[in-house]
Amino acid sequence: MKLIGISLRKPSFGELTAAAVMATGLWLAALGLLRLLHADVSKADAGALLLVSAWACVSARLGIRIGMGRAHLLANLMGSGALLLVYEGARQFVGA
């Protein structure tokens, strides 16, 4: 399968599990850093950060690597943007 010229691969269950664990660790580290810097982070912002970090880790397992050119960067930004659009729409629908 291809996405804007990028050949995608099917990750194994172990790779997806590793991506989920890595995303959670990165999310906790980022929240810890933001707390250390006394940044005001809402629950919605923390959820969006988790979503983007999870997409970044999973997309790397799919073969989308931002260091491999503009097409990979564009695919990553499109994925992140689409997920954030759905997330914000769901938040508005629920009223949170």
Side-chain angles (χ1 to χ4, degrees):
M1 183 176 179
K2 286 193 170 199
L3 173 70
I4 61 172
I6 302 168
S7 294
L8 300 178
R9 55 181 293 276
K10 183 179 178 184
S12 67
F13 179 77
E15 288 178 318
L16 288 177
T17 303
V21 170
M22 186 184 306
T24 305
L26 289 172
W27 177 66
L28 287 172
L31 285 179
L33 180 64
L34 288 170
R35 187 171 173 116
L36 184 68
L37 296 173
H38 301 288
D40 186 28
V41 181
S42 68
K43 290 179 185 178
D45 293 339
L49 179 62
L50 177 60
L51 194 61
V52 170
S53 65
W55 168 249
C57 293
V58 170
S59 68
R61 301 294 181 167
L62 290 172
I64 301 171
R65 301 184 182 269
I66 61 172
M68 294 185 68
R70 290 184 180 175
H72 289 264
L73 179 60
L74 178 63
N76 197 344
L77 290 174
M78 285 176 20
S80 294
L83 287 172
L84 288 174
L85 187 65
V86 169
Y87 176 72
E88 191 60 34
R91 279 191 57 243
Q92 296 298 322
F93 181 73
V94 172

